[in-house]
Each structure stands twice: as C-alpha cells, then as structure tokens.
C-alpha cells in the first residue's frame, strides 16, 4: 500500500475497496485527464453505487443473451484441449505449432482461491520461460498494481507460448463479417487485451525475464460471418499499452491530486455526496457514456454549467483553455476581451463566427434568388351595381 492508503479509505467512507477487472482497468484509459475518475478509481470507490445514490444510475453490462452466446462460443473454441483453437492457429494464421501442452489454471486441485491460482500461474509460466515447456495456459490469474493496490485479473484469455514468446488470445463473441467487425468492439477488446499483456509482462519481469517476451501482438478469436466458426485476427495493442501505462502511472501519483482536495472529503452516502463528487474536477466527454458509471451525473453537470466538453472531446480540445460554451460564444461575438493566452483562440472564434454569418447571409440571398416569383395579385372583383350601394 502507498502512503495515501488512509486517505483512500476515507474517500470510500470505510467501505471495502472495489476490485478492478480488465474492463474497469481498460476504461481508465478512455479518459485519462479526468481527476474525478482517477481519484475514485485509485480509492476503489464503487462508482456504480455512488451514481445510484446520486440518482443517476448507469446501465452497464451485457444482456443475458449475449453472455450465454459468448459462453457457448468460448466453450466450443476451448473444447478438447482447445482443438479448434489450435487448428485456427495452425491453418488460419499459418503458425507452426508442433506439439501442444494445455494447462487450465481456473482451479488448483478444486480450489478456486485467487492467491493459490496466482501462485500456480507464476510457477507454470516460470517453468515455460526457463524450459519452453507448455503451450496454452487457460485462465491464468494475473495481478496488476492499480494505485498502489494489487488488482487480480481473472481473464478468460489464454496465454499462448510460441517460439519463446507469449501471446494473449482473447475469445470474443461479436461477429466478424467479411473480415470486418464493429470498430468500437474491436477497440474495447484491444484495450482489455492490453491490460492482460501489461499484467503478463509485469509477471515475466518479476520472474527475472525480459518483459518483451510477452508480445504486443494479441490474437482475437471471434465467430465469422454469422456462423459459429471461429476466425483469428492478430491485433497490435502497442498504442493501447502506451495509454494504459501513462494512465496507471498517473494513478500511482494520486497523492498530488489528493493534496489539492479538502482533507475531510468522502464519497460516503449522505446528503453531501453530490457536493463531495463535484469537489473533484471532471472532464466529461460524450465518450464517457460508454465506459464510466458516473457518466449520467457528469453529463448532467456538464450541461448545467455549459461545459465545452459536453459537445465532444474534439470541440473541447479545439477550444483548449475555454471551459464553458458561454465564454466561447462571448469571445466569438467580441463581447469579451480575451486574456493574452486566449488571444489566438479568440481570434479564431471571431473568424469562425464571421464566416458562419457570411455563409448564412449567402444562403439566405441564394434562397431568395431561387424562390419562384410570387403570384400576381388577382384584380379586385367588380362589385355588382345592385349590391354597390
Ligand atoms: S463520467 Fe465523469 S468521472 Fe467518469 S470519466 Fe467521465 S467525467 Fe470522469
């Protein structure tokens, strides 16, 4: 534990820390600049419970149908000591995998204890690194340091040893159709795989070997073309690894963020919870909706104060230094004199505003020119004499 541990306990209001998993760790990389998320995650605060207590629950998780489909597909790929997976690696990817040893690390002599499973994972991987023994290690129990606390990762993945290097194999149930898959799902799978690569590298380093013996190339196994036939795709997760490392390093420097916060701050349930959450700066962006339990609360807050981030991360970045939409509009209209460091942004906003006004004017003029002539007014009907008086 780090010296911040007592502070982090207080932030949780004495509740037990919430365990991370690959999804939550991968999600850390989705918004690395958010202090609110950084503090809550480092403290192991149950963000889902906090969001519910604030009246902004966020529905996350897969449907039961998707979970069942995923389990069936995984069992199929792993059946008979991963026979189908091996065919895929040999024939689909052309890897020369001569003989195969398969170890399932899900239990140790019927015991599912995490510590025991982690010890066995270490022992088998150490042997594989020393002697090359072992090919497929199913359900390895890995560990990663998150904000000074070890987080156990219980992946469905397989660590595959090939030519002296380990590759992470991740089995996902989303479909690959004509070689294409939903980009968001591939990106999420790549982020999660990067978490496993990092944890596996940490373990390999702890065992006294070069962490690069864990490849940055992972294999994603998905059903192909609406069938249950698996297809394997190599994915390079180097970009995800870089972001993940940066964000984890930031979490371990959580002391700096804590130093700026009130000494009695706590996220314990109660009347002052919303105020406590607002004390820690957030960087809301629409992307939060896909990956953070606090998203509905932060979106509401961002809209209420007109934060530029509510319009999207690219808008906020383009307006670097401007926090609110109101300030941006005032600078664009020339109603506000910019500080020296905002002079360039203000000039660009004024130019954009002029161009917009000009474009609207031109469009209006074109519409007027293209409009059909108004029908001539009908001559006034003659009034019959008998009714004229
Ligand atoms: S939803 Fe809120 S707490 Fe979560 S990452 Fe976004 S801004 Fe940060």
């Amino acid at each position: 534990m780090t010296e911040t541990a007592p502070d982090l306990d207080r932030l949780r209001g004495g509740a037990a820390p919430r365990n991370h998993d690959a999804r939550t760790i991968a999600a850390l990389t989705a918004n690395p600049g958010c202090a609110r998320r950084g503090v809550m995650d480092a403290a192991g605060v149950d963000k889902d419970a906090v969001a519910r207590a604030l009246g902004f629950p966020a529905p996350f998780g897969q449907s039961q149908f998707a979970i069942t489909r995923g389990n069936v597909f995984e069992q199929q790929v792993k059946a008979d000591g991963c026979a189908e997976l091996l065919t895929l690696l040999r024939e689909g990817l052309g890897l020369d995998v001569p003989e195969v040893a398969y170890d399932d690390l899900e239990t140790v002599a019927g015991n599912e204890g995490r510590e025991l499973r982690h010890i066995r994972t270490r022992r088998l991987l150490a042997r594989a690194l020393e002697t090359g023994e072992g090919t497929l290690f199913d359900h390895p129990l890995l560990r990663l340091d998150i904000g000074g606390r070890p987080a156990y990762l219980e992946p469905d993945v397989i660590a595959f040893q090939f030519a002296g290097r380990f590759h992470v194999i991740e089995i996902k149930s989303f479909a690959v159709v004509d070689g294409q898959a939903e980009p968001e799902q591939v990106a999420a799978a790549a982020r999660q795989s990067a978490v496993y690569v990092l944890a596996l590298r940490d373990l390999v380093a702890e065992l006294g070997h070069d962490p690069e013996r864990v490849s940055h190339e992972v294999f994603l196994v998905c059903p192909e073309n609406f069938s249950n036939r698996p297809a394997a795709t190599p994915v390079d997760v180097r970009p995800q690894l870089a972001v993940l490392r940066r964000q984890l390093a930031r979490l371990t420097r959580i002391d700096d963020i804590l130093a700026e916060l009130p000494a009695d701050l706590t996220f314990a349930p109660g009347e002052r919870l919303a105020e406590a959450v607002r004390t820690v700066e957030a960087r809301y962006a629409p992307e939060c909706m896909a990956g953070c339990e606090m998203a509905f609360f932060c979106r509401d807050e961002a809209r209420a104060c007109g934060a530029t981030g509510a319009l999207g991360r690219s808008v906020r970045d383009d307006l670097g230094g401007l926090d609110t939409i109101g300030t941006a509009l005032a600078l664009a209209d020339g109603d506000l004199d910019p500080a020296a460091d905002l002079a360039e942004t203000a000039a660009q906003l004024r130019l954009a505003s002029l161009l917009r006004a000009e474009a609207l004017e031109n469009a209006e003029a074109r519409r007027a020119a293209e409009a059909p002539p108004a029908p001539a007014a009908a001559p006034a009907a003659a009034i019959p004499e008998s009714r004229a008086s």
Side-chain angles (χ1 to χ4, degrees):
M1 299 288 261
T2 67
E3 65 203 42
T4 61
D7 290 330
L8 300 184
D9 285 342
R10 172 175 44 75
L11 286 175
R12 287 194 306 276
R18 187 173 179 272
N19 275 338
H20 282 283
D21 56 30
R23 188 187 72 78
T24 60
I25 295 171
L28 292 178
T29 64
N31 193 357
C34 178
R36 181 175 295 167
R37 174 164 202 154
V39 166
M40 292 179 115
D41 282 336
V45 171
D46 184 344
K47 298 200 296 301
D48 183 42
V50 170
R52 272 187 280 114
L54 292 169
F56 291 91
F60 272 117
Q62 288 182 305
S63 70
Q64 193 51 47
F65 173 75
I67 292 170
T68 307
R69 178 177 149 75
N71 290 342
V72 168
F73 180 66
E74 189 186 328
Q75 281 164 16
Q76 174 200 324
V77 173
K78 289 182 175 176
D80 302 323
C82 295
E84 204 163 355
L85 178 62
L86 277 167
T87 308
L88 204 58
L89 294 170
R90 286 178 175 142
E91 295 173 11
L93 295 177
L95 300 180
D96 182 17
V97 188
E99 55 186 75
V100 173
Y102 169 80
D103 291 287
D104 189 351
L105 306 171
E106 193 162 21
T107 57
V108 180
N111 190 321
E112 294 181 359
R114 294 191 302 186
E115 197 53 43
L116 216 54
R117 287 181 55 202
H118 181 61
I119 291 170
R120 181 152 182 252
T121 299
R122 278 179 70 99
R123 193 163 49 76
L124 291 192
L125 293 190
R127 191 184 65 187
L129 288 161
E130 296 292 340
T131 66
E133 221 177 296
T135 316
L136 297 168
F137 301 92
D138 197 358
H139 300 110
L141 196 77
L142 305 171
R143 224 162 44 178
L144 199 60
D145 194 74
I146 306 293
R149 277 192 303 116
Y152 282 99
L153 302 173
E154 192 170 348
D156 283 334
V157 297
I158 296 175
F160 165 53
Q161 188 192 203
F162 175 68
R165 296 190 87 192
F166 283 100
H167 295 262
V168 163
I169 298 179
E170 175 122 49
I171 301 170
K172 291 286 182 191
S173 61
F174 59 80
V176 174
V177 181
D178 294 333
Q180 301 286 321
E182 195 68 50
E184 277 178 18
Q185 289 179 313
V186 176
R191 282 198 296 268
Q192 288 187 18
S193 300
V195 174
Y196 299 135
V197 169
L198 200 62
L200 210 46
R201 282 187 173 175
D202 278 3
L203 178 55
V204 168
E206 264 177 48
L207 293 169
H209 294 270
D210 181 1
E212 292 296 314
R213 286 186 68 178
V214 181
S215 175
H216 54 258
E217 188 177 63
V218 305
F219 298 123
L220 207 52
V221 176
C222 302
E224 191 177 33
N225 296 341
F226 305 112
S227 70
N228 262 355
R229 201 176 60 232
T233 314
V235 179
D236 183 343
V237 296
R238 270 177 293 189
Q240 290 80 7
L241 277 171
V243 177
L244 189 59
R245 266 196 220 99
R246 245 195 339 267
Q247 178 62 349
L248 290 181
R250 191 172 170 278
L251 276 186
T252 55
R253 291 197 311 269
I254 204 73
D255 308 63
D256 298 342
I257 302 176
L258 287 175
E260 304 284 315
L261 299 175
D264 59 348
L265 185 72
T266 176
F267 299 124
E271 276 177 14
R272 302 187 62 192
L273 179 58
E275 189 190 325
V277 171
R278 287 196 189 98
T279 307
V280 192
E281 196 183 339
R283 275 174 71 85
Y284 175 79
E287 291 84 347
C288 292
M289 298 300 286
C292 182
E293 292 87 344
M294 294 296 296
F296 285 89
F297 176 83
C298 296
R299 182 179 66 174
D300 187 70
E301 177 190 56
R303 283 179 177 169
C305 69
T308 50
L311 300 176
R313 198 171 286 158
S314 59
V315 176
R316 184 182 58 206
D317 292 346
D318 285 348
L319 294 173
L322 289 182
D323 290 334
T324 68
I325 299 167
T327 310
L329 290 176
L331 287 173
D333 293 343
D335 295 339
L336 193 69
D337 284 332
D341 58 334
L342 288 176
E344 194 182 330
T345 307
Q348 286 177 343
L349 281 168
R350 272 200 299 278
L351 180 63
S353 174
L354 287 173
L355 290 173
R356 179 176 178 275
E358 198 179 300
L360 287 175
E361 217 171 277
N362 287 343
E364 187 54 42
R366 208 167 37 246
R367 224 185 350 261
E370 288 169 0
I383 302 171
E385 266 187 23
S386 59
R387 297 172 59 191
S389 60

